[in-house]
């Protein structure tokens, strides 16, 4: 039951984009097409899960026992950067079209604050290894859900008549705000799992 609570809360109640406002750069940048959003979601899911696992083990196995907690942020950033490089190489070989579609946003996963944020949050919340991985996967699913919903809405907006002053980013931000308010409707669910 505890793991189900972690999953539901991470996806809906404390959605990384709509509630915690992390990962906004790729959220706004890659959300014009659903196909690209799905690819970015998959890449973020892979990097977020592996980065959380590796950083948790690094923290608990090396930094904490030797009193090197002050190196936490820099070491986590280095791990994330290495993982993004690996994803970039793999995508270039497996799916060149997705690699081209993601463009500059793929290397930006390195600086995606959602990935570093989750790695830091699992340490802050004092999760064990399994809880950390479950939280990372659920958070990445929440990120993907937010990104795919938003990109679907943006695709539909591109087909409608929007006043000239509202075209582009203004209507995108208003839409994101409305979707975020819809996610606020899930805010009481977390009480069920306490």
């Amino acid at each position: 039951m505890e793991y189900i609570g972690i999953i539901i809360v991470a996806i809906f109640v404390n959605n990384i984009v709509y509630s915690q406002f992390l990962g906004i750069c790729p959220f706004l940048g890659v959300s014009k097409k659903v196909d690209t959003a799905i690819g970015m979601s998959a890449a973020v899911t892979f990097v977020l899960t592996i980065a959380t696992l590796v950083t948790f083990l690094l923290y608990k196995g090396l930094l904490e026992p030797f009193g090197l907690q002050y190196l936490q942020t820099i070491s986590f950033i280095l791990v994330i950067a290495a993982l993004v490089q690996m994803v970039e190489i793999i995508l270039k070989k497996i799916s060149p079209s997705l690699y081209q579609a993601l463009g500059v946003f793929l290397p930006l996963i390195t600086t995606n604050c959602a990935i570093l944020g989750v790695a830091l949050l699992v340490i802050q919340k004092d999760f064990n290894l399994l809880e950390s991985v479950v939280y990372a996967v659920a958070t990445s699913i929440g990120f993907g859900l937010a990104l795919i919903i938003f990109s679907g809405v943006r695709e539909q907006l591109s087909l409608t008549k929007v006043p000239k002053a509202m075209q582009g980013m203004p209507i995108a931000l208003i839409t994101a705000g409305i979707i975020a308010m819809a996610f606020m409707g899930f805010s009481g669910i977390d009480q069920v799992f306490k």
Side-chain angles (χ1 to χ4, degrees):
M1 188 71 158
E2 182 180 337
Y3 294 108
I4 294 171
I6 290 173
I7 292 168
I8 301 243
V9 168
I11 293 174
F12 298 109
V13 180
N14 292 330
N15 185 284
I16 198 82
V17 175
Y18 292 129
S19 180
Q20 298 181 36
F21 307 112
L22 296 174
I24 300 295
C25 179
F27 174 74
L28 292 173
V30 188
S31 60
K32 291 181 182 172
K33 292 186 174 184
V34 173
D35 296 340
T36 311
I38 291 170
M40 178 59 99
S41 299
V44 167
T45 299
F46 177 77
V47 172
L48 185 61
T49 305
I50 301 300
T52 302
L53 177 66
V54 172
T55 55
F56 180 87
L57 293 173
L58 175 69
Y59 184 83
K60 294 294 184 181
L62 184 67
L63 299 179
E64 193 176 52
F66 293 106
L68 301 172
Q69 292 94 333
Y70 61 91
L71 294 174
Q72 174 182 358
T73 304
I74 191 72
S75 60
F76 285 13
I77 289 171
L78 291 173
V79 167
I80 292 166
L83 288 170
V84 170
Q85 283 296 105
M86 186 176 73
V87 168
E88 202 170 346
I89 292 167
I90 291 169
L91 273 182
K92 199 173 193 178
K93 295 276 185 203
I94 293 175
S95 180
S97 60
L98 179 59
Y99 177 78
Q100 289 293 336
L102 292 175
V104 72
F105 294 103
L106 188 57
L108 283 178
I109 292 176
T110 305
T111 57
N112 184 345
C113 55
I115 295 173
L116 180 61
V118 170
L120 294 171
L121 279 171
V122 298
I123 301 299
Q124 187 180 37
K125 292 177 184 262
D126 201 29
F127 284 155
N128 63 35
L129 182 60
L130 185 56
E131 289 171 338
S132 299
V133 172
V134 167
Y135 180 76
V137 170
T139 300
S140 61
I141 290 170
F143 177 82
L145 179 69
L147 188 60
I148 292 166
I149 289 171
F150 188 59
S151 63
V153 172
R154 282 187 79 177
E155 275 188 4
Q156 290 299 313
L157 281 173
S158 68
L159 302 174
T160 61
K161 286 183 91 176
V162 177
K164 188 171 182 165
M166 297 298 292
Q167 291 177 355
M169 199 52 67
I171 195 69
L173 292 173
I174 290 170
T175 303
I178 292 169
I179 296 171
M181 287 192 308
F183 269 75
M184 285 175 59
F186 295 112
S187 63
I189 293 176
D190 60 336
Q191 300 302 318
V192 173
F193 298 101
K194 287 186 179 179

